[in-house]
Structure formats: C-alpha cells, structure tokens
C-alpha cells in the first residue's frame, strides 16, 4: 500500500452538479492533492441530472457488469468516467438505472425527498468499494464527503476489513452544511445489518436523521474534517468528544494553506 494514494468519495463535484461550497471544494481538493504528489481516484454518483453528452461521460465496460444485492433485490453496477481537463483529473461515476436514472439528485421536481435515498447511498458505497477492489488499487486514505457517503466508513471497518486492498486504510470524513429535514427510511439500519454490519453504531440509525447519520459515520471514521462553517453544532460537538483527530474549518486561511493543511493531516494519520 502506498502512502501517497488517496481515494475521494464525494456526494457532489462541480461542474457535474451545480456549484456549492461542497461541490467546488471536492473538485479543488482532488486537483490540489494530485499537484502535491498524491495519486488519487475520485468517485461520485451518476445522478440523472448530469448531462452525459456535455460532460463526455462514457462507460468503463471492464469495470461494469457486477450485480449488487440491496434489500434482497439485484441491481446492476455501471461504471462511467469523465475528465475535468483543466484540473487534469478523472472522475468515476457509480450508475444504476433503478437508482440514478431519474432526472434529479436527491429530491424530485417538487422538492420531495426520494424515499429510497437510503438504498441509493448503500448502493453508492458498495459500488465504489467493489470498483476500487476490481481496480486492485490500494488507497492509504479514503476521504468521504457529504452524508451520501456515510455508509462507506462502516463498510471499510467491517465488511471489507480483511480485504488486502483496504486492510490498512485510514478513513477521513468531511462534514458540511448539507443537512436534511426529517429522516431517511426507517428500515435503513436493518438494510445495512443485512449487509453484514453490526455493532453499537447501528443504534444511531434507530432514527436515521441527519445528525444521527453523522454520528454513525463519525463512529467508524479514523479522523474528521469540519468542511464548512455551517456544520451542525451538535454534530461538531459529537466529533470533538469522539477524541479522533479533527481538522477544523479555517475561514481565514488562504487556499494553498488549506490544502497544505489537508496534506499534513493525511500524513499524520499514517
């Protein structure tokens, strides 16, 4: 395992989705770490609102074709890839007709939350990790961005814990101001348990609210990043109390300083 390999698992990346603090930062961070000598791989969901023709997405046939069972149903895993030429980085997309064909990201055109967002998040997590395993690319750091990647850390610590590709990996999670009202499907915990997940962290999902989901992801992480100034105070309080390494948001830092801090943060974990 090389200490220079970083896997980014992102809920959103600009320009494939509208520019937000999170989507812009994920794009810049991947580029910045590559420029600082890191070998990177970057993944995000292929939400149906992403224009494949304009963004020149194409399917990676050699990586596609697996079927993932989510909640006792088979779903085909499709992998696509595109390049951000100006940044000289590639982005891999996790796709599936059942979960990602709809022309929206997380809400329908009326603003209603998709009822299966929990299963979509599970499929995304499984899809990324199965693809990286198929690539036989062993990261030293896996850095998750956004609540949609929340299942990844617990998968790495339990389901994939003995896999040679992920055995020694350190998991970093970035928290953002991306909360949602209400809760995910009440069966979320049982669906994850069916994947081979157990332990006290599942108790956080008895009510899969945004804050409980963040607690769930922090519980399985090795380190936490405060990714924006607007992170829920309750979530940040839990992160600080966990005793895990914590990189705080620094609004006064220049861009180069911020990325140098991230690089240093990674290296201190290894």
């Amino acid at each position: 395992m090389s200490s220079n390999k970083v896997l980014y698992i992102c809920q959103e990346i600009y320009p494939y989705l509208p520019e937000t603090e999170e989507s812009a930062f994920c794009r810049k961070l991947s580029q910045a770490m590559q420029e600082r000598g890191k070998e990177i791989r970057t993944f995000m969901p292929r939400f149906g609102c992403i224009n494949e023709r304009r963004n020149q997405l194409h399917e990676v046939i050699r990586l596609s074709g697996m079927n993932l069972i989510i909640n006792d149903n088979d779903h085909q895993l499709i992998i696509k890839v595109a390049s951000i030429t100006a940044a000289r980085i590639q982005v891999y997309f996790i796709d599936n007709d059942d979960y990602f064909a709809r022309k929206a990201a997380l809400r329908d055109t009326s603003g209603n939350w998709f009822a299966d967002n929990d299963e979509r998040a599970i499929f995304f997590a499984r899809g990324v990790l199965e693809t990286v395993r198929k690539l036989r690319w062993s990261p030293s750091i896996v850095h998750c961005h956004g609540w949609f990647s929340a299942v990844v850390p617990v998968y790495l610590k339990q389901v994939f814990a003995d896999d040679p590709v992920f055995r020694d990996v350190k998991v970093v999670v970035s928290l953002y101001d991306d909360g949602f009202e209400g809760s995910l499907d009440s069966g979320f915990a049982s669906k994850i348990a069916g994947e081979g997940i157990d332990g006290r962290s599942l108790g956080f999902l008895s009510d899969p609210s945004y804050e409980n989901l963040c607690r769930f992801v922090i519980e399985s992480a090795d380190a936490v990043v405060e990714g924006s100034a607007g992170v829920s105070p309750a979530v940040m309080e839990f992160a600080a109390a966990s005793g895990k390494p914590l990189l705080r948001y620094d609004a006064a830092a220049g861009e180069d300083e911020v990325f140098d801090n991230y690089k240093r943060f990674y290296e201190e974990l290894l």
Side-chain angles (χ1 to χ4, degrees):
M1 181 184 71
S2 169
S3 62
N4 275 327
K5 292 182 176 179
V6 184
L7 172 62
Y8 290 107
I9 305 178
C10 305
Q11 178 173 310
E12 54 188 67
I13 301 173
Y14 178 80
Y16 303 110
L17 290 176
E19 186 170 5
T20 63
E21 182 178 31
E22 183 176 339
S23 69
F25 190 78
C26 285
R27 177 241 188 262
K28 291 178 181 178
L29 181 61
S30 295
Q31 178 182 356
M33 289 304 107
Q34 183 167 267
E35 290 172 349
R36 284 161 174 76
K38 302 296 185 185
E39 183 181 341
I40 67 161
R41 295 287 187 274
T42 304
F43 283 79
M44 70 172 289
R46 206 292 296 177
F47 292 118
C49 53
I50 296 171
N51 188 310
E52 293 199 13
R53 179 175 295 179
R54 183 172 66 239
N55 292 296
Q56 298 184 326
L57 273 67
H58 62 272
E59 185 175 352
V60 185
I61 302 297
R62 68 184 179 89
L63 297 176
S64 300
M66 286 185 284
N67 274 37
L68 304 181
I69 299 174
I70 309 295
N71 198 27
D72 296 326
N73 293 309
D74 270 354
H75 301 277
Q76 185 183 22
L77 175 61
I78 302 168
I79 311 299
K80 295 177 180 176
V81 69
S83 297
I84 302 178
T85 305
R88 291 186 294 181
I89 61 173
Q90 280 191 326
V91 177
Y92 289 90
F93 295 83
I94 299 298
D95 198 3
N96 169 264
D97 288 343
D98 300 318
Y99 290 132
F100 298 115
R102 62 200 77 167
K103 298 298 181 182
L106 300 172
R107 301 177 185 271
D108 64 22
T109 54
S110 301
N112 298 313
W113 200 247
F114 288 124
D116 62 350
N117 275 341
D118 62 324
E119 291 188 16
R120 299 169 86 209
I122 294 171
F123 183 88
F124 176 58
R126 282 274 308 280
V128 171
L129 298 180
E130 293 289 358
T131 302
V132 173
R133 185 161 65 173
K134 200 167 186 180
L135 286 168
R136 297 186 178 181
W137 189 81
S138 299
S140 53
I141 298 285
V142 173
H143 192 162
C144 302
H145 297 262
W147 74 262
F148 202 75
S149 65
V151 184
V152 171
V154 73
Y155 267 73
L156 285 170
K157 297 301 182 182
Q158 295 193 35
V159 179
F160 292 85
D162 295 324
D163 192 297
V165 172
F166 299 112
R167 185 178 296 144
D168 300 314
V169 75
K170 298 296 184 182
V171 184
V172 180
V173 297
S174 276
L175 306 171
Y176 293 93
D177 182 13
D178 63 349
F180 53 81
E181 298 296 325
S183 299
L184 297 177
D185 185 82
S186 60
F188 191 20
S190 63
K191 293 171 188 175
I192 297 176
E195 295 283 296
I197 305 296
D198 57 21
R200 78 179 190 92
S201 61
L202 278 180
F204 291 121
L205 300 183
S206 58
D207 172 18
S209 65
Y210 174 76
E211 289 189 358
N212 282 341
L213 191 60
C214 290
R215 294 183 178 99
F216 174 73
V217 69
I218 291 168
E219 183 77 8
S220 295
D222 294 298
V224 183
V225 175
E226 184 180 18
S228 64
V231 181
S232 160
V235 169
M236 286 311 304
E237 182 179 344
F238 184 87
S242 73
K244 298 181 179 185
L246 175 60
L247 181 62
R248 289 283 188 174
Y249 181 78
D250 186 355
E255 198 166 85
D256 283 342
E257 182 182 357
V258 167
F259 295 131
D260 287 342
N261 288 341
Y262 272 75
K263 181 174 181 286
R264 190 177 306 111
F265 189 65
Y266 293 159
E267 291 169 351
E268 288 172 353
L269 293 175
L270 299 175

